[in-house]
Amino acid sequence: GLNMEFAIVYTTILIFLVIITLYFSSKSLKRKDLTSKLIFGATVLTAISTISYIVSYLTKSYLIVDIFSNIYFGTISLILPIFLIITNIFTKIQNKYYRYITAIAFSLYGFSEFIMFMINIPTNFVIDFVTNPPLSNGEYIPPFFSYSMKPLYIVHLIYSYITIALVFIELAIRLAKTPYGYKRQYFVVIFTLILVIASNAIFLFIPSNELMARFDISLPGYYFITLMIYYSIYYYPEKGMINKFNKFILDNVKEGFVLFD
């Protein structure tokens, strides 16, 4: 059926993105700076979250869904403050006291949510899972369970969107303050973030009986954000800016010149 075919294609795409992103983030570790370590840590957590999500929508066991769905949500709670810290470093906006306080507060809260989701496995006080009904022909197809959200899960969603909003604001401020020739390294990240937010909104608000409502179609976007951050921090300043320099300056200078490296 269409759901099964979509599940297979979707799973294949996610596994491919896990491998590619882990490869590039491991390459960044060679630079031995804080940003590379944060990118690698976020990528590993995203990989764990993704594998947990895949297992949760392919299994028919309530217990396995309960365990792996909570790991999925818990690791997201850890990933979000890491992305916020990476963004603070990436945007290079003058460090201010409230940025340190925000990073610490969101990190502590994210860790507390991770603990909360681990406790939720035997208790289900944050989110529970209900069996999806079969199709008209009696066939059960993935995902086999839906979420039954409780108030604390709504708090988790609010925390997630506030964190994403802060990341978006940081990027928007930096984009607005950056000269035209240097905007691209921030624009590619903010554009990818907009696509992720839009796809997540589709996932949350389309009718539950639609095929796309059963799968978190925004999940691949987290990998694209990581890849764009990697590109913008490590590739673009070294190679992309050279091309910009050639295009805007060297190729348009009428006088003769000598360039020393």
Side-chain angles (χ1 to χ4, degrees), residues 56 59-70 129 145:
S56 70
T59 184
K60 296 181 180 179
S61 167
Y62 175 87
L63 177 61
I64 294 177
V65 169
D66 191 16
I67 293 171
F68 283 92
S69 291
N70 281 290
F129 311 94
F145 292 86

Side-chain angles (χ1 to χ4, degrees), residues 52 56 81 83 87 90 118 121 132 136 158 165 179 181 213 223 229 243-244 246 254 258:
S52 300
S56 70
F83 271 120
T87 303
F90 171 52
M118 295 305 98
I121 293 174
N132 284 326
S136 56
I158 293 171
Y223 290 97
I229 290 175
N243 295 331
K244 285 283 186 182
N246 287 334
K254 296 179 180 179
V258 178

